[in-house]
Amino acid sequence: MNRPSLGLVQSAQQRFSESFAFLVAYRGLAAEQELLEILGPLRLAELYEGGEPLFSELIEISRVLRVPFSSFLVTSPGGFEELEIAYAELLYYAAQLSAKERAGLQQELLDIAGRLAVQTETDAGETRSDAEPGERGRRRQS
């Protein structure tokens, strides 16, 4: 493995370790105890120190910490840690809501996603130089 690749692997492992430790601390002693029972003390210590989890471990970790396992994936340098933390918070607090409140929250999130999708599509449509004049209008109407 060359030096740049080694650095990426180390940073990904460090990122997992930091996210993992933060979420375990946030979820509290009960979550840490459950992880200890599932993983064992040695493996849990390895993960805190930057060890790479197996996929099966990642699924269990995600279940215990109540976050999507994709929260631990490194997508690009810098990632979107703020969004991942906000999503974890959202899942945590949504679990305490009534069914009606969760339905309202779901609708608000879908509205936000819809506005972002339309904005992204509009921005992309306006910058395309190969689009025919009527094409952008048809796309918005569908």
Side-chain angles (χ1 to χ4, degrees), residues 61 85-86 89-90 116 128 134 140:
I61 290 167
I85 290 170
E89 289 288 326
L90 184 63
L116 289 172
R128 282 186 47 187
R140 285 191 195 119

Side-chain angles (χ1 to χ4, degrees), residues 35-57:
L35 288 170
L36 187 61
E37 291 170 10
I38 293 168
L39 302 169
L42 293 176
R43 185 62 180 141
L44 185 60
E46 287 175 3
L47 293 175
Y48 277 131
E49 293 171 7
E52 186 175 352
L54 300 171
F55 185 73
S56 59
E57 292 173 331

Side-chain angles (χ1 to χ4, degrees), residues 121-122 124-129 131-141:
E121 186 175 292
T122 301
E126 290 173 356
T127 59
R128 282 186 47 187
S129 60
E132 295 179 12
E135 186 177 335
R136 286 189 294 256
R138 282 194 303 273
R139 196 177 321 133
R140 285 191 195 119
Q141 291 172 357

Side-chain angles (χ1 to χ4, degrees), residues 31-89:
E32 187 170 31
Q33 184 62 40
E34 188 174 352
L35 288 170
L36 187 61
E37 291 170 10
I38 293 168
L39 302 169
L42 293 176
R43 185 62 180 141
L44 185 60
E46 287 175 3
L47 293 175
Y48 277 131
E49 293 171 7
E52 186 175 352
L54 300 171
F55 185 73
S56 59
E57 292 173 331
L58 192 57
I59 297 298
E60 286 299 308
I61 290 167
S62 298
R63 181 188 61 78
V64 170
L65 298 178
R66 297 185 305 258
V67 295
F69 71 89
S70 61
S71 296
F72 298 109
L73 299 177
V74 177
T75 55
S76 65
F80 11 88
E81 293 87 0
E82 300 87 4
L83 184 58
E84 293 167 354
I85 290 170
Y87 185 67
E89 289 288 326

Side-chain angles (χ1 to χ4, degrees), residues 7-21 47-52 74:
L8 291 175
V9 170
Q10 287 174 338
S11 66
Q13 290 171 339
Q14 179 184 5
R15 183 173 178 280
F16 170 80
S17 177
E18 290 171 358
S19 297
F20 177 68
L47 293 175
Y48 277 131
E49 293 171 7
E52 186 175 352
V74 177

